[in-house]
Every structure is written in structure tokens, then in C-alpha cells.
Amino acid sequence: MTAESTVPSPGGQPRDRGFSPVSVIPSRGVAGGFRFPHRRPQPRPASPVPLLAADLTAALLGALALTGTTHHPLLAALLVSASMLLRPHLPRAVPGVLDELPAVCGRIAVSWLALGALVAAYAPQHALPADTLTLGFLLQSAAACAARGAVHWRRRTVLLNRPRAALVIGPATTAQRVAAGILRHPRCGVRPVGVVTETPDGSDGLPVLTTGQEVERALIQNGVRDVLVVHPSVRSQQGPLLRALAESGCAVWEVDADSPSYATRDQLAGFACRRLDMGGRRRGSFGKRMLDVLVAGTLLLLVSPLLLVCAVVLRLTDGRGVVFRQERIGKDGRPFTLLKFRTHRPVDEHESATRWSVANERQMSWFCRFLRRTSLDELLQLWNVFWGDMSLVGPRPERPYFVANFSQTYPGYAARHRMQTGITGLAQIHGLRGDTSIEDRARFDNAYIDNWSLWQDICILARTAAALVRPTGS
């Protein structure tokens, strides 16, 4: 089976991407190329100190209700400690104190009830009366709401006076509509300054940026800190652009411009939105690398006799050239040399780079077929993992020829490269190996990246080890 017969649809049909992708980044190696400004300081998140001070002040004021009780200093210290431990940590900016009123008052009530139960359990003769508990709860709740309301009012004032500049990426009509909607609501704290699209529609609105130089100029001159993606295909087709913007210090948000905001906590001027991870360093990535080094190093030591036997038998049955080296595309589109045992001898370099699969070639010797059916030919990739070219778990790397074709044909395929490629992955344990649907592979790979965890890697490795008893070829 040749590459030409498999690229259009090896197991699946391509989908319509909806609009022409935005092409604003020239190749970095060409004349006149550029780089977006790197290592800009990340925008500082809202400091927790003001809210912490507000909660501490409220707890101290609430402790005034304990005045006159036995062991007043100790009880006050316990109340303050409980209030600080139970203070609400909300995952997003709160537009007003009323939004967090249930959480604040609920935790304050728990603090007072716990304090009353503790005193009644250890010193029944000094149990706190109900009126003391009620007074303390009301006093602390009122103080907390007032102090937190002042903090939120101050933050909204700052956002209104100094909104964050943003670029809107997507089809011109949709992008201009979203930008206009956001501009009509300055209280959201975001100010669109330009629309990035390939084909302007001629309508009035924000400046339209169609070249990389224009995007870079807008990025620097306006101090852009947010990028709003307003069409699903932008995420899959403009991964390099979004990653370049993320690397320059921008936060990338996917805005749902047309659907109701179901099951989402984040909103921007009434539009549902969510933060996109564009392949930056993830929490736990150090643990993933340590797992790779530990497991790959241990396996290399354990299987080194097996590798030697395979190399000797392959040399005796198929002649010289035991190790097969092939260029593959890794994380962020960087090429690397993948190592395998040679099970097939291509006619030339062009066939090696563009032939899709040779799993059932009759020309193979019995030992080569055995290596492919048992996946023993993949064992040398443990060296790629140990040296950092690959990971144990991740999207399977592919050759440049197929990466270029699949990225144009299948939405989401290019986005796979925002994480380190791997020997096995979520797609592989679901049977997507060899001549199977590329669209399905891309969907499973992106689902793995979106929901990555170290435990998920361990589960995939365990399921891969169990699947080795059912050889299927590759």
C-alpha cells in the first residue's frame, strides 16, 4: 500500500474545516522571517493578599463576640485559624461579593459551629451560648462581605481603567461580531484591538491583520495579553500561530460565539469561554520525564540480551543493516531520528519516506514478520525515550511527508504535536495501529493531551503491556 493511496483517507474521511485557515506565520528560515517577542513577563495574577487580609480582619472582628468568655485568647486564635483554613478559594475572578456570599457565609458558619462543638466536647461547663455563636457569625459575615466587596470593587475599577488588550482570531464576520460584543461591555476587562483573519470581508470594525508582520506589530504596540479564538477550526489549523502567541506571554481563550454557554464557569461579555493549554510546560511534566528515564533505563538493562539476540538473528537472516533509522516529527514539529530493527528494505529514500505500511509484505523473512507481529522491532525506541527524543506515552510520531498531508486533511492532526510523541498512547491501546483511521487517531491523541495526568500514563503503559500478548502488527 503506497502513501498516495492512504493519505486521502486511511480509514476515515476528512471533514470540512469550515473556512480557509489563517496563514500569518512565514517559515522561520526564510528571508524576512520573524519571531514573536519571547519571554515577555507573564501577566501577574490577582494577588491573594487583599482577600487574605479581608478574611483575617473579618475573623478578628468576629472574635470580638468571644469577649468575656473563658479562655478568650485561645478561642479567638482557634476561630481565626479555622476561618483562614476554610476561607473560599474561587477558581476565577468573582464579579461581585453577592456571587460568593453563599461560600463565604457557609464557611464562616462551619468555623463557628466547629468552635462551639470543640468547646462543648472538651469543656462542657464553658460551652458557648447560642447567642454568642449567632452574634459572632453575623459580625464576621458582615465584615467579610464588606471587606471582600471593597476588594472586588477595586479590582473592577482597575480592569475598567486598564483593560487587557486582545486579538480575535477567526472568520472575519464572526470575529468582528465577538469583538463588538466585548467592546460594548468594558466591565469585562478585555479590549479587542485587532482581528486576525485571512480574507477580510470589508465590513467596518477593528483593524484586520492578515500578515505575520501585522500581528507582531499589534502584539508589541498594544501590549496584547489575551488571544480569543472564535471558531473551532482555528484551534486545529492554527496551532503554530496560537503556540507562538502563547510563548510570547499571551493567554489563549476559546470563545463559543454561537452556542449557549452550557456547563461553563468562565464567561466573557456573555460568551462562554475556556482557557486553552497550548503546550506550555505542564504541572507534572518533570514527573513524566523521570518516569520515562526510570522505565526506559530499566527496560534497556533487562532486555539488552533480547536486543542482542534479535540483532544477531536479523544479521544472519537478512544481512547487514540491522538498525533502521528514519526521520520522524516530534514535539512542536521538531524532527528527530527514530530507531527500529530493520524489517524491510525500501528501494530508495523516497520510498522510505512516503510508503505507508509494509506489515504484510511477502518479501519479508519469517523473522522480520515475527518482529513486527510481536512489536519487538520497536524496542530500540527505548533509546529515543532515554535520550529525550520521545516519551513512553504520547502521540505516535510520523514522517514529515505524512505529517504535512495529514495536517492539511484531518482537523486536529497538527495539534497532536503540542506534546512529546511516544512509543504507545491512548490511540494505540484502543486498537488504532497500522492502517487505521487517522481522524480517529488524532481525536484520541488530542483527548489524551487535554486530559493528561501521570496516572493516565501509568494506566496506558499497563494496558500496553497486557496488549503485547495479542500481537497485531504495525
Side-chain angles (χ1 to χ4, degrees):
M1 182 177 295
T2 62
E4 288 74 15
S5 65
T6 59
V7 169
S9 181
Q13 292 294 331
R15 295 180 301 172
D16 182 15
R17 292 188 290 273
F19 78 107
S20 182
V22 181
S23 303
V24 298
I25 298 186
S27 302
R28 291 186 173 181
V30 300
F34 68 96
R35 293 177 183 268
F36 288 150
H38 287 278
R39 300 184 180 89
R40 290 192 305 167
Q42 292 284 340
R44 293 183 300 175
S47 173
V49 173
L51 289 179
L52 181 63
D55 292 332
L56 179 59
T57 301
L60 293 174
L61 290 176
L64 294 177
L66 298 172
T67 304
T69 60
T70 306
H71 307 299
H72 166 255
L74 177 60
L75 295 181
L78 290 174
L79 174 66
V80 171
S81 300
S83 299
M84 291 298 99
L85 290 174
L86 294 176
R87 59 185 299 268
H89 299 276
L90 299 176
R92 61 186 178 93
V94 178
V97 69
L98 291 178
D99 297 281
E100 61 180 2
L101 183 62
V104 172
C105 293
R107 284 167 171 78
I108 292 175
V110 170
S111 300
W112 279 96
L113 290 175
L115 180 64
L118 183 64
V119 174
Y122 286 93
Q125 68 277 16
H126 300 302
L128 298 175
D131 57 349
T132 299
L133 295 175
T134 303
L135 177 61
F137 164 72
L138 293 176
L139 186 60
Q140 184 176 350
S141 296
C145 291
R148 281 180 161 258
V151 173
H152 294 319
W153 174 82
R154 173 61 181 167
R155 288 180 175 175
R156 288 196 303 271
T157 302
V158 171
L159 283 177
L160 189 61
N161 294 331
R162 295 196 298 272
R164 302 189 308 272
L167 291 177
V168 186
I169 304 180
T173 302
T174 304
Q176 293 285 8
R177 177 167 55 85
V178 171
I182 295 174
L183 289 172
R184 287 194 296 267
H185 298 275
R187 290 171 61 89
C188 66
V190 175
R191 178 176 58 88
V193 296
V195 168
V196 181
T197 187
E198 185 179 46
T199 55
D201 60 357
S203 60
D204 295 333
L206 293 177
V208 176
L209 314 176
T210 58
T211 66
Q213 287 78 6
E214 292 175 347
V215 174
E216 183 182 24
R217 190 180 306 115
L219 196 70
I220 297 173
Q221 292 179 350
N222 296 281
V224 172
R225 288 302 188 182
D226 289 278
V227 175
L228 310 180
V229 176
V230 298
H231 194 280
S233 59
V234 176
R235 182 184 176 191
S236 59
Q237 298 301 319
Q238 292 303 313
L241 170 62
L242 297 180
R243 282 193 293 271
L245 289 168
E247 290 172 1
S248 73
C250 296
V252 181
W253 298 84
E254 186 175 55
V255 178
D256 197 338
D258 300 305
S259 301
S261 54
Y262 298 127
T264 179
R265 290 181 59 88
D266 293 315
Q267 292 192 357
L268 181 65
F271 295 105
C273 63
R274 66 188 183 100
R275 180 80 177 264
L276 295 182
D277 178 9
M278 298 312 303
R281 186 173 182 83
R282 296 167 175 258
R283 180 180 300 178
S285 57
F286 178 77
K288 181 178 176 67
R289 178 58 186 153
M290 289 300 99
L291 178 67
D292 289 341
V293 172
L294 178 63
V295 175
T298 302
L299 288 179
L300 282 172
L301 290 176
L302 293 177
V303 304
S304 54
L306 178 60
L307 293 176
L308 180 60
V309 170
C310 290
V312 171
V313 175
L314 194 59
R315 174 68 173 83
L316 294 176
T317 58
D318 270 53
R320 302 179 62 180
V322 171
V323 178
F324 179 65
R325 296 174 175 83
Q326 191 175 65
E327 185 181 47
R328 298 289 178 100
I329 299 299
K331 183 180 179 183
D332 296 330
R334 293 190 296 266
F336 70 94
T337 301
L338 180 136
L339 303 177
K340 295 175 64 173
F341 281 123
R342 184 183 295 278
T343 56
H344 177 69
R345 295 181 181 274
V347 175
D348 51 31
E349 291 296 328
H350 180 265
E351 183 187 24
S352 174
T354 61
R355 194 175 184 88
W356 175 246
S357 176
V358 292
N360 298 316
E361 287 285 333
R362 296 181 179 179
Q363 295 86 347
M364 281 187 184
S365 67
W366 65 269
F367 187 67
C368 290
R369 294 196 195 95
F370 169 77
L371 290 179
R372 293 182 69 85
R373 284 199 305 269
T374 59
S375 297
L376 290 177
D377 60 326
E378 310 280 353
L379 283 180
L380 286 182
Q381 293 172 39
L382 291 172
W383 282 109
N384 292 113
V385 174
F386 189 79
W387 292 113
D389 295 328
M390 296 173 60
S391 177
L392 288 169
V393 183
R396 283 293 295 166
E398 195 45 78
R399 286 159 284 179
Y401 174 85
F402 293 105
V403 169
N405 281 276
F406 293 156
S407 296
Q408 295 177 3
T409 307
Y410 299 98
Y413 188 86
R416 301 165 64 255
H417 298 92
R418 66 189 192 274
M419 177 172 269
Q420 190 76 285
T421 54
I423 294 180
T424 185
L426 189 64
Q428 282 65 45
I429 63 174
H430 282 86
L432 296 171
R433 305 174 68 232
D435 191 14
T436 53
S437 170
I438 302 301
E439 183 178 3
D440 288 350
R441 289 196 207 184
R443 184 171 62 254
F444 274 96
D445 288 337
N446 284 307
Y448 162 77
I449 298 172
D450 290 338
N451 301 282
W452 177 86
S453 69
L454 196 59
W455 178 246
Q456 183 183 202
D457 277 9
I458 295 173
C459 293
I460 291 175
L461 289 174
R463 293 179 65 178
T464 300
L468 289 179
V469 299
R470 303 188 302 271
T472 59
S474 60

